[in-house]
Amino acid sequence: MEAIVLAGGKAERLGDAAGGLPKSLVPVGGRPLLAWQIGRLAQAGVRRVIVSCFGGDEQVFHDRLGDLDVELVCAGEPERLGRGGGIRYASAMRDETGDVLAMNGDELVDVDFPALLERHRSTGAAATVTVAQPPSQFGQVELTDDDVVTGFHEVSRVPYWVNCGIYVLSEEALARFPEQGDHETTAFPELAADGKLRAFRHTGVWLTVNTPKELRRADEYVAEHPEWLG
C-alpha cells in the first residue's frame, strides 16, 4: 500500500516556533510532526509514502524523515498546485495503480487505516472521506422564538460531521482531480453527485497544529503516546 501526504503548507501562524520549516516538519515531541503520522501508516502496512512538498524542499524532507520504516519519495511541485493538484501530481510517482491513501501531513489523527480501507472497498466507492466531529469552541445559548434566554450548556463536539482530510482514492477518483486547485470544490462534488463518494466516521483523536497553543497540545499528546512511531 502507498500513501500520498500533502506537506506543502507554510507554518505562518506558528511564528518563531516553526524555525522556518514547512509546517509538516515542525518539531513535535522531538520529531517532525509528519514523522508521527508516517509511523502510524507504517504500522498499518504502508511501505511507500509520497510527500507532496514545494519544489526545492525535497532534501530537507529526506534529511528529517529518512530514518523511518518506509520508502520516502518527494514530489516537489514546480509551482503551487493546491491540495487537489498536489495529490494528482504526487500520484504520478506511485509504483502501483489502484487504491491509495491520501492525507494532510500537518495533523495528528489516529484513524483506523485498515477499517477505513475495508469500508472503502466494501462499498465500491470511487473515494472515501474520513469525517469527524471536532471539539466545539463555544457553548450553546438556548433561546425561545421571541429571544428569551432560557439556559446555557457546554457542547463537547459540534453536532455535524466535517472532512478531516484523510481519504482512500481509486483510479477513477484520481482521474477527476484537478491539475491545479482544490478537490473539495471539483472532484468531490462531482463524485457525490454521481453517488460514488462515501464517508468513514472517525471518533478518535484529531489534533490540528496551526498555533503555538495547538503545538503545545500536540507535544503533550505524543509524549503520552510514543507508540505512534512504532
Side-chain angles (χ1 to χ4, degrees):
M1 192 70 190
E2 294 176 282
I4 295 170
V5 179
L6 290 171
K10 300 178 181 179
E12 294 172 336
R13 283 189 282 171
L14 284 173
D16 293 340
L21 292 168
K23 187 160 62 165
S24 296
L25 294 179
V26 169
V28 174
R31 298 299 302 270
L33 171 58
L34 178 53
W36 297 95
Q37 200 72 344
I38 290 178
R40 294 201 69 256
L41 286 169
Q43 292 176 53
V46 172
R47 290 293 170 258
R48 194 167 187 268
V49 175
I50 305 167
V51 177
S52 173
C53 61
F54 191 60
D57 286 345
E58 296 93 336
Q59 191 59 52
V60 69
F61 277 92
H62 277 294
D63 290 345
R64 294 174 183 266
L65 300 171
D67 62 339
L68 299 171
D69 190 25
V70 297
E71 178 187 353
L72 189 74
V73 179
C74 289
E77 298 178 9
E79 59 179 317
R80 295 288 182 183
L81 299 177
R83 294 185 302 161
I87 290 174
R88 179 161 181 162
Y89 183 80
S91 71
M93 296 190 179
R94 290 175 298 156
D95 271 350
E96 301 177 359
T97 58
D99 295 336
V100 64
L101 287 163
M103 65 202 66
N104 297 323
D106 56 2
E107 300 172 337
L108 297 175
V109 189
D110 69 345
V111 67
D112 186 336
F113 291 117
L116 168 60
L117 286 164
E118 181 181 358
R119 172 66 56 81
H120 171 77
R121 290 166 176 166
S122 68
T123 63
T128 300
V129 181
T130 304
V131 297
Q133 293 177 301
S136 174
Q137 299 181 39
F138 309 102
Q140 182 172 332
V141 180
E142 297 176 351
L143 303 173
T144 65
D145 291 341
D146 55 352
D147 294 336
V148 174
V149 176
T150 59
F152 299 84
H153 70 267
E154 295 298 319
V155 179
S156 59
R157 292 185 178 272
V158 299
Y160 48 83
W161 295 91
V162 301
N163 177 3
C164 67
I166 296 180
Y167 320 116
V168 184
L169 305 173
S170 68
E171 291 295 325
E172 179 183 357
L174 286 170
R176 298 202 193 195
F177 269 48
E179 293 184 358
Q180 189 166 19
D182 196 323
H183 54 285
E184 291 185 17
T185 58
T186 54
F188 280 179
E190 291 174 6
L191 291 169
D194 291 343
K196 295 182 176 182
L197 188 65
R198 295 290 187 273
F200 177 78
R201 302 190 190 206
H202 173 63
T203 58
V205 172
W206 177 22
L207 298 179
T208 57
V209 183
N210 296 311
T211 65
K213 180 179 180 180
E214 291 176 339
L215 180 61
R216 289 193 297 272
R217 183 176 61 176
D219 268 319
E220 293 168 357
Y221 180 82
V222 298
E224 297 172 359
H225 297 275
E227 70 275 5
W228 274 48
L229 287 177

